[in-house]
Amino acid sequence: MDRQGQGFRNKLTLFSIVMMVHFLLLGALTSASVVALGALRTFISTKTKSTPVMLLFVAAIIGVGLMTLTSQAELLTIIGTSVATIALFKLEGIAMRACILLNSLCWLINNFYLGSIGGTAVEFTFVIINLYSIYKLYSASPKKSTAI
């Protein structure tokens, strides 16, 4: 795993823990449960890239998410977090960040639906930062020649 990816995962773990507390304070059990699993998943993904571990997290996210589901908007948190789980275990660089971007967009909609102004603002900021990171990684990548 590259150094940037490791730092990204560490920051994502911390962010998830903060958001779990936020959702608990809002009484949004599905969001809190899914983001808590996401925090653990992100931390574990720094230690292993095991497919069975990844699948265990995806199953837990879907199971816990569906058991606590109270609105259709919360389905987005389950989908986004599942996609992010696969990305953190199996992808790196731009591909990983693109999946994390999809996850952030799902959470952005959920936070807006919940009426979480802070959560919406934080997730919107995360989307912008992620887009910038993707752009920087793309700009730094070697260009392929299209000459014939």
Side-chain angles (χ1 to χ4, degrees):
M1 177 183 333
D2 65 4
R3 226 180 70 202
Q4 283 182 324
Q6 179 69 34
F8 176 75
R9 285 174 172 84
N10 291 340
K11 290 174 187 156
L12 188 57
T13 299
L14 180 60
F15 172 76
S16 296
I17 293 167
V18 170
M19 291 309 292
M20 177 196 65
V21 172
H22 172 75
F23 290 126
L24 284 173
L25 292 171
L26 284 176
L29 186 57
T30 301
S31 297
S33 300
V34 170
V35 82
L37 284 168
L40 182 60
R41 168 247 18 227
T42 303
F43 176 74
I44 296 295
S45 77
T46 66
K47 309 295 181 202
T48 182
K49 297 297 173 205
S50 165
T51 299
V53 172
M54 176 196 75
L55 293 173
L56 179 66
F57 272 106
V58 170
I61 289 162
I62 292 169
V64 169
L66 291 177
M67 286 190 314
T68 59
L69 194 70
T70 58
S71 74
Q72 290 181 353
E74 291 173 319
L75 284 171
L76 290 172
T77 66
I78 298 167
I79 293 166
T81 304
S82 296
V83 168
T85 298
I86 295 165
L88 288 169
F89 277 87
K90 297 299 174 188
L91 303 174
E92 290 196 29
I94 293 173
M96 178 186 70
R97 284 169 177 80
C99 289
I100 299 298
L101 177 62
L102 172 63
N103 175 54
S104 291
L105 292 170
C106 290
W107 279 95
L108 179 68
I109 294 166
N110 177 69
N111 291 344
F112 184 79
Y113 172 79
L114 287 174
S116 170
I117 296 167
T120 301
V122 167
E123 207 63 57
F124 181 76
T125 302
F126 202 48
V127 166
I128 299 302
I129 291 168
N130 206 352
L131 284 169
Y132 180 72
S133 295
I134 291 169
Y135 169 76
K136 293 294 280 183
L137 285 170
Y138 179 78
S139 296
S141 66
K143 306 294 182 246
K144 294 182 180 171
S145 174
T146 57
I148 297 179

